[in-house]
Amino acid sequence: AQSVTQLDSQVPVFEEAPVELRCNYSSSVSVYLFWYVQYPNQGLQLLLKYLSGSTLVKGINGFEAEFNKSQTSFHLRKPSVHISDTAEYFCAVSDNTNAGKSTFGDGTTLTVKP
Amino acid sequence: NAGVTQTPKFRILKIGQSMTLQCTQDMNHNYMYWYRQDPGMGLKLIYYSVGAGITDKGEVPNGYNVSRSTTEDFPLRLELAAPSQTSVYFCASSYGIGGGETQYFGPGTRLLVL
């Protein structure tokens, strides 16, 4: 069985400050890891994903995440946030044993203040 | 290319009523999913389909039914609506079989059961 824990339910930050959204996962097999973003009143869209290879993954809108197998983490970072980054962020995990289904974390609300 | 579309966007139901949430994708994806999202929670999988004519239960299937007669459409049926089914419902699709596939989400249907 796989699970995802997003360690912060809400992260307030000022514009142009750096941000890190934390995600830990649990799985007994090799995993694929995702970060999705949900803007208000919209569906989720992919920010980035880790499949294999380099542990540092770059995504859209200047976000990046680092896969750390020893710490079973996949934290999302951005060096300088904008007001437009205000959204809900979901970490998700999947593997090849479960018909490709993903397990989602409970989400982190990022609020960027002027 | 519209992606994943859902109708209606919002609906109010009385307890005991039934309704069908529509989902259509135009990306020729094999896999389709229905999730519900409750406030402060992640996405919970209701049902999924790996192709036309093939469906299976997810994490929270009780009170729902699905069918998949075509590749494009994956409607979700609510029978005898209950207040516990008040939620936001998202349909998603993905192309491949492997666990590393990106899911593409529709904009959601907000359902209120009174």
Side-chain angles (χ1 to χ4, degrees):
Chain A
Q2 56 196 23
S3 66
V4 176
T5 302
Q6 292 185 240
L7 299 169
D8 308 291
S9 59
Q10 298 194 33
V11 174
V13 65
F14 286 105
E15 192 174 19
E16 297 183 5
V19 71
E20 178 180 78
L21 307 184
R22 299 179 295 166
C23 173
N24 286 350
Y25 70 92
S26 173
S27 177
S28 58
V29 298
S30 294
V31 297
Y32 307 104
L33 292 156
F34 305 78
W35 276 99
Y36 288 87
V37 61
Q38 183 182 30
Y39 298 106
N41 299 314
Q42 295 186 26
L44 281 69
Q45 56 184 278
L46 183 71
L47 265 182
L48 50 81
K49 65 181 179 182
Y50 170 78
L51 301 181
S52 64
S54 173
T55 58
L56 184 62
V57 181
K58 294 188 182 298
I60 62 172
N61 300 338
F63 284 92
E64 63 182 32
E66 186 155 19
F67 171 58
N68 189 320
K69 188 175 182 179
S70 63
Q71 297 187 7
T72 61
S73 67
F74 191 55
H75 301 333
L76 180 70
R77 301 185 181 99
K78 186 169 182 178
S80 175
V81 294
H82 303 291
I83 298 289
S84 59
D85 293 323
T86 294
E88 187 89 12
Y89 291 80
F90 291 94
C91 183
V93 62
S94 69
D95 59 49
N96 287 327
T97 67
N98 205 17
K101 292 181 289 183
S102 292
T103 299
F104 288 82
D106 287 343
T108 297
T109 301
L110 175 63
T111 303
V112 181
K113 305 175 182 180
Chain B
N1 192 338
V4 180
T5 58
Q6 293 183 238
T7 57
K9 290 184 179 179
F10 178 69
R11 182 77 181 268
I12 299 175
L13 280 183
K14 294 181 179 179
I15 294 172
Q17 287 185 320
S18 301
M19 76 165 293
T20 298
L21 283 67
Q22 301 292 344
C23 175
T24 300
Q25 54 91 8
D26 62 359
M27 297 174 282
N28 200 32
H29 284 173
N30 295 313
Y31 279 49
M32 295 188 75
Y33 313 83
W34 273 107
Y35 294 93
R36 58 177 289 170
Q37 182 183 29
D38 299 319
M41 306 289 286
L43 279 71
K44 303 297 182 188
L45 183 65
I46 304 171
Y47 271 95
Y48 68 101
S49 169
V50 302
I54 307 170
T55 63
D56 205 350
K57 296 178 181 179
E59 206 177 338
V60 290
N62 292 343
Y64 307 94
N65 277 300
V66 294
S67 59
R68 183 116 181 253
S69 56
T70 67
T71 300
E72 296 79 19
D73 300 306
F74 190 41
L76 177 71
R77 178 81 177 164
L78 277 70
E79 305 282 2
L80 299 174
S84 61
Q85 294 178 305
T86 293
S87 190
V88 182
Y89 292 84
F90 289 101
C91 179
S93 70
S94 65
Y95 177 71
I97 296 175
E101 291 293 328
T102 299
Q103 292 190 26
Y104 295 83
F105 287 81
T109 293
R110 298 177 185 278
L111 176 66
L112 178 61
V113 182
L114 299 174

